[in-house]
Amino acid sequence: KGEIMEHKNMTLLIMAAGMGSRFGGLKQIEPVGPEGEFIIDYSIYDAIQAGFNKVVFIIKRENYDLFRSTIGTRVEPHIDVSYVFQDMENVPSFVEIPSSRVAPWGTGQAILAAKDEIHEPFAVINADDFYGADAYQVAANFLRTAHEKEKSYAVICYEVSKTMSENGSVKRGVCEIQDGYLKGITESKVEREGEYIVASPLSGAKEFTIPADRLVSMNLFSFSPDIFSFLAADMERFFKREKDNLLKCEFLIPEVVSDAIQDGIFDVKILSTKATWYGVTYREDKDTVVKAIQKMVDDKKYPLPLWK
């Protein structure tokens, strides 16, 4: 492959600790494929095709048996699999966790939970999002060659019109871009209003309209493993800053990344994919996902059964 050193090992880190609150139940184990496959099956299949050779699941400890018996047993013959747990107690020692806090501390804490399992470049995804094969190819191409300089980070973005739900608003990270690099992410509620797409920042800032091809983040990041030491230090800063807001605060990867960029700590390259995102934000979305996957199977993009 010429002069460029290529990485042999790449890991897919799957954030699966969230229970779908709006959807109800463990949406990771909702069948969407013609033979009962889950979205997560297609994610892992696409990642294997792109050259990933290990998957790490971040799950809740109490879901381990259910998760392993459904998803684990299907994919373990095809790829190296590890499990890590996102525990609410896994925080700096000075944090006094409120007794009424029930949820863990967000996607930044989830990723940090995998620090002892990942020593190679990795991509991170949400368990319940169907990202499409092209997105994994884009992530893998970056990870294979990007390790030459330290801190090789990227976010794989989608045109917002390819990430919408017919059934209501969705949360998306609206990206600000300069010279091919991320300048910031505005976490927003996004919905169609007539011919416009309107983004309402979750911070309460003024809403704004965006074009259909505006790039948004779907939490598909590519990182080198040095991100873990940054996350550990940043989580300490986060808890000191949020000490009066421990019931509600969340350590979220888009905010972590945005703040680090603003502070000049690291750069994050923008990579775009032409893939269409599918996901089940609302129960009614499931039918759309099932039909889309069935069409891809009919078009021979996926084998049937998926796992031979």
Side-chain angles (χ1 to χ4, degrees):
K1 300 265 170 98
E3 292 302 301
I4 298 174
M5 280 270 298
E6 292 217 343
H7 260 298
K8 297 277 189 296
N9 294 319
M10 293 183 291
T11 289
L12 183 66
L13 179 60
I14 302 184
M15 297 191 286
M19 303 282 273
S21 51
R22 283 185 290 183
F23 183 75
L26 252 182
K27 62 181 173 182
Q28 295 91 305
I29 54 172
E30 183 78 18
V32 291
E35 299 212 344
E37 298 90 350
F38 312 140
I39 284 179
I40 208 168
D41 284 301
Y42 292 98
S43 299
I44 295 165
Y45 180 87
D46 285 339
I48 292 170
Q49 302 305 307
F52 288 83
N53 56 357
K54 178 175 158 188
V55 62
V56 176
F57 295 113
I58 306 164
I59 58 174
K60 284 185 177 161
R61 201 174 287 276
E62 62 267 26
N63 291 339
Y64 173 76
D65 290 335
L66 174 64
F67 205 91
R68 179 119 200 236
S69 64
T70 49
I71 295 160
T73 52
R74 293 222 278 258
V75 303
E76 280 168 11
H78 305 278
I79 191 168
D80 182 13
V81 175
S82 298
Y83 299 86
V84 297
F85 302 119
Q86 184 179 13
D87 290 327
M88 189 162 59
E89 292 69 35
N90 199 355
V91 291
S93 55
F94 61 81
V95 180
E96 291 184 28
I97 302 171
S99 56
S100 48
R101 172 103 192 189
V102 289
W105 306 93
T107 49
Q109 189 217 11
I111 293 168
L112 188 55
K115 70 181 187 302
D116 296 332
E117 278 296 331
I118 297 181
H119 309 285
E120 57 285 316
F122 68 100
V124 57
I125 64 165
N126 297 328
D128 40 19
D129 288 344
F130 183 99
Y131 290 95
D134 180 67
Y136 294 95
Q137 294 288 350
V138 169
N141 290 343
F142 174 80
L143 290 174
R144 272 191 198 100
T145 55
H147 67 290
E148 300 284 341
K149 58 187 197 315
E150 233 184 49
K151 293 192 170 49
S152 301
Y153 306 155
V155 58
I156 291 87
C157 297
Y158 289 72
E159 295 174 5
V160 66
S161 61
K162 295 183 174 174
T163 75
M164 307 290 282
S165 166
E166 303 283 298
N167 298 298
S169 66
V170 290
K171 284 184 191 158
R172 299 289 178 256
V174 181
C175 294
E176 294 162 59
I177 299 164
Q178 189 179 337
D179 301 328
Y181 283 86
L182 185 65
K183 291 302 291 173
I185 298 177
T186 306
E187 289 293 311
S188 304
K189 185 180 83 165
V190 174
E191 55 197 326
R192 289 186 198 278
E193 289 186 12
E195 58 222 58
Y196 299 102
I197 297 174
V198 177
S200 309
L202 301 185
S203 65
K206 193 171 177 329
E207 64 178 37
F208 55 101
T209 59
I210 52 178
D213 63 354
R214 181 69 180 264
L215 292 181
V216 295
S217 159
M218 305 295 302
N219 270 353
L220 173 45
F221 289 95
S222 291
F223 291 121
S224 45
D226 57 333
I227 191 70
F228 293 120
S229 55
F230 173 77
L231 282 175
D234 200 49
M235 194 159 81
E236 296 236 342
R237 290 190 286 272
F238 167 83
F239 277 112
K240 284 173 180 156
R241 193 174 67 233
E242 296 288 340
K243 61 181 188 299
D244 299 326
N245 186 29
L246 292 177
L247 206 53
K248 293 258 170 62
C249 66
E250 283 191 291
F251 184 57
L252 300 171
I253 197 66
E255 290 171 13
V256 169
V257 165
S258 256
D259 290 348
I261 291 167
Q262 309 280 317
D263 296 342
I265 296 168
F266 54 69
D267 294 326
V268 176
K269 198 169 167 57
I270 290 278
L271 303 171
S272 61
T273 175
K274 293 294 177 199
T276 298
W277 170 94
Y278 295 100
V280 184
T281 306
Y282 304 96
R283 277 231 168 250
E284 300 76 22
D285 292 335
K286 185 182 165 182
D287 197 37
T288 308
V289 180
V290 169
K291 284 181 179 151
I293 288 174
Q294 183 63 59
K295 180 163 186 349
M296 289 183 239
V297 172
D298 294 343
D299 293 344
K300 303 285 189 281
K301 287 183 180 157
Y302 294 107
L304 191 67
L306 187 64
W307 302 115
K308 292 275 195 302

